[in-house]
Amino acid sequence: MALAPAPAPPPVFSLRPTNFTKSRRCCRCSSTISRTDGSSSSPPTNTSSTHRPAVILPGLGNNTTDYQKLTLILKEYGVPTVVAKVSRIDWLRNAAGLLDPNYWRGTLRPRPVLDWYLKRVNEAVNEAKELAQGANISLVGHSAGGWLARVYLQEFESSDISLLLTLGTPHLPPPKGVSGVIDQTRGLLDYVKQHCAKAVYTPELRYVCIAGRYTYR
């Protein structure tokens, strides 16, 4: 992969901020996905907490309030939800990566440049654990939040997490040696591929990866 000859913008990942719309329950994951046909299934009338708590990890450029609709929908299904506290301006912290020589080599590592995000995730996970009262919890990672969840699982104690649901997350780095293809993560996805557990379904940690298009209505 050829490095950019001129100064590049702060480290970015993939996918733009997204607003969630009409949704339905997905498989056994107690989460939701957007519908493209404009229809949606009705949530159950019983709003008591019957599922393990979920922690939502915002994607690049998103903030906590972008996930209010998703939080309300999950609540209707009895899923207590905590969103990692992230604001749009927080993402400017990624500019610290410009001072790391690995950024220019395309071999950037998640830490320390993304320690601020991982800390917010850890705080949300601890809050969800209190809601779980000893039960397991789920992670719902949107866009970059999905592969950052994999970094979190690798770097932090995660025995209480039994599900990772990712929404539109790129789990593999872009192909190398292809004209016009630039790794916007500057090597972060290479790091995830090499050093983090694979995003595959296991009895201990179930993965559900959702990718596709949606229509805003």
Side-chain angles (χ1 to χ4, degrees):
M1 178 192 70
L3 298 180
V12 294
F13 312 117
S14 179
L15 299 183
R16 296 179 179 178
T18 301
N19 291 322
F20 291 91
T21 56
K22 293 184 178 180
S23 308
R24 65 180 174 84
R25 187 175 178 183
C26 171
C27 306
R28 298 165 55 195
C29 62
S30 301
S31 188
T32 59
I33 60 176
S34 301
R35 303 244 347 192
T36 58
D37 58 6
S39 62
S40 61
S41 59
S42 299
T45 56
N46 182 8
T47 59
S48 61
S49 178
T50 58
H51 301 284
R52 58 179 174 271
V55 176
I56 298 176
L57 282 61
L60 173 69
N62 288 103
N63 63 24
T64 302
T65 59
D66 291 334
Y67 302 88
Q68 287 180 341
K69 287 186 179 180
L70 180 57
T71 299
L72 290 174
I73 291 169
L74 290 174
K75 183 178 180 181
E76 290 177 340
Y77 282 99
V79 181
T81 305
V82 179
V83 184
K85 292 180 173 57
V86 175
S87 68
R88 299 197 204 286
I89 197 171
D90 281 328
W91 292 102
L92 295 177
R93 297 168 183 259
N94 291 357
L98 294 170
L99 303 177
D100 189 333
N102 287 310
Y103 174 84
W104 305 103
R105 300 188 190 108
T107 56
L108 191 63
R109 301 168 69 91
R111 308 188 74 175
V113 66
L114 286 164
D115 275 348
W116 70 269
Y117 186 94
L118 297 174
K119 179 182 178 182
R120 306 291 176 82
V121 174
N122 195 50
E123 291 170 352
V125 166
N126 289 333
E127 184 177 345
K129 285 181 179 180
E130 294 183 5
L131 297 175
Q133 298 181 345
N136 288 338
I137 65 174
S138 304
L139 297 184
V140 180
H142 168 227
S143 186
W147 60 260
L148 281 166
R150 293 173 60 190
V151 176
Y152 176 82
L153 291 170
Q154 191 74 25
E155 298 288 332
F156 290 75
E157 199 286 318
S158 57
S159 60
D160 295 324
I161 300 171
S162 60
L163 170 70
L164 171 57
L165 170 71
T166 64
L167 305 171
T169 293
H171 284 288
L172 295 175
K176 306 223 176 1
V178 179
S179 177
V181 175
I182 298 176
D183 181 7
Q184 293 181 318
T185 72
R186 306 307 296 166
L188 291 173
L189 280 175
D190 280 308
Y191 178 91
V192 172
K193 180 182 178 180
Q194 295 173 16
H195 298 281
C196 297
K198 294 183 178 180
V200 295
Y201 188 103
T202 68
E204 296 77 21
L205 178 62
R206 295 184 296 161
Y207 276 88
V208 178
C209 303
I210 298 174
R213 299 178 179 178
Y214 75 95
T215 300
Y216 184 85
R217 297 180 184 273

